[in-house]
Amino acid sequence: MIVGTLFESIFDNKTHKGIELPSFEHFEEVLYKLSKKTRKDKKDAELMSPAIYTANTTRANDNVEYWGGWCAVDVDDADLTVDLKKYIRSKVGNHYYVCYSTASSTKEQPKFRLVFPLTRPVKKDEIKHFWFALNKELGMIGDIQTKDLSRMYYIPADYTDANNFFFVNNGTPIDVDALTLDDAKQMLDNKKE
């Protein structure tokens, strides 16, 4: 099950509109369909978040209960000396992900979002450690400013004047427990040295 929250705009803080899909494959289909819809710019687009909030609250880190079986990473500084798909593969390995361009993506500087399925939801008190462990696993390609619990992401679209792309790698979901355990072990080993 994939769940999350939808927002009308960057200024929307109401948390009552939800995403609920039976699988990541269904989520992938929705994202693909959205990527084909023409939009002038990101001001024209809704936003989504993996965060589920306490009922009758607004969007804030304190009100997040968990992430609903998926996460996203923003990448703004890809290595342009290699093919984009090869670059992502070198960082992500064989994980299942959806990659879609953002409204500010250009041919000279592709900017994109990687959306991953998770093996389970991530509880509020695990999110920060999980995000940092994931970004570390990905070679620190994620925009460090997008780490907050209640982060929203613009949906994919065919943005006017942007370098638009959408592709998928069918691999393995991110194992939340293995990733955070490996990171914790590595931190302990570093302290012993």
Side-chain angles (χ1 to χ4, degrees):
M1 174 83 57
I2 296 294
V3 295
T5 306
L6 293 173
F7 298 93
E8 294 291 323
S9 73
I10 193 77
F11 306 107
D12 184 6
N13 69 354
K14 297 176 186 72
T15 60
H16 65 283
K17 291 174 77 179
I19 301 166
E20 189 173 312
L21 296 162
S23 69
F24 192 79
E25 290 81 4
H26 285 88
F27 192 30
E28 175 191 324
E29 288 175 27
V30 169
L31 294 175
Y32 177 75
K33 287 176 184 172
L34 289 169
S35 78
K36 297 302 176 192
K37 184 172 180 180
T38 302
R39 294 179 190 274
K40 183 177 177 187
D41 55 34
K42 65 183 183 181
K43 293 176 190 167
D44 238 7
E46 295 84 17
L47 297 97
M48 61 184 184
S49 174
I52 298 298
Y53 298 87
T54 303
N56 303 314
T57 62
T58 56
R59 188 179 76 84
N61 288 339
D62 288 343
N63 297 332
V64 173
E65 291 187 0
Y66 64 94
W67 281 359
W70 64 282
C71 69
V73 175
D74 279 335
V75 182
D76 291 337
D77 298 309
D79 179 357
L80 300 178
T81 62
V82 295
D83 174 75
L84 184 60
K85 288 182 182 180
K86 285 182 184 175
Y87 169 76
I88 294 171
R89 181 77 172 194
S90 74
K91 299 294 185 181
V92 177
N94 193 39
H95 286 297
Y96 187 177
Y97 62 84
V98 168
C99 176
Y100 68 88
S101 54
T102 64
S104 56
S105 178
T106 64
K107 291 268 187 207
E108 300 73 35
Q109 185 59 63
K111 296 185 180 194
F112 55 92
R113 187 154 298 123
L114 296 170
V115 182
F116 298 96
L118 306 177
T119 53
R120 66 169 176 83
V122 183
K123 294 179 265 181
K124 178 180 185 171
D125 61 348
E126 301 174 307
I127 292 173
K128 282 187 180 181
H129 181 207
F130 168 75
W131 193 93
F132 281 108
L134 175 63
N135 201 25
K136 191 173 168 184
E137 174 82 2
L138 301 176
M140 302 301 287
I141 63 171
D143 181 351
I144 203 77
Q145 298 195 40
T146 62
K147 65 186 180 302
D148 54 309
L149 281 62
S150 62
R151 172 61 52 183
M152 300 185 294
Y153 302 96
Y154 284 101
I155 60 170
D158 183 7
Y159 292 106
T160 304
D161 298 326
N163 174 29
N164 296 294
F165 52 87
F166 184 101
F167 56 90
V168 175
N169 185 67
N170 289 307
T172 58
I174 301 286
D175 187 325
V176 175
D177 296 314
L179 184 68
T180 53
L181 183 60
D182 286 348
D183 186 61
K185 283 180 184 175
Q186 201 170 51
M187 288 189 316
L188 283 173
D189 289 345
N190 290 342
K191 284 184 178 181
K192 288 178 185 175
E193 292 176 358

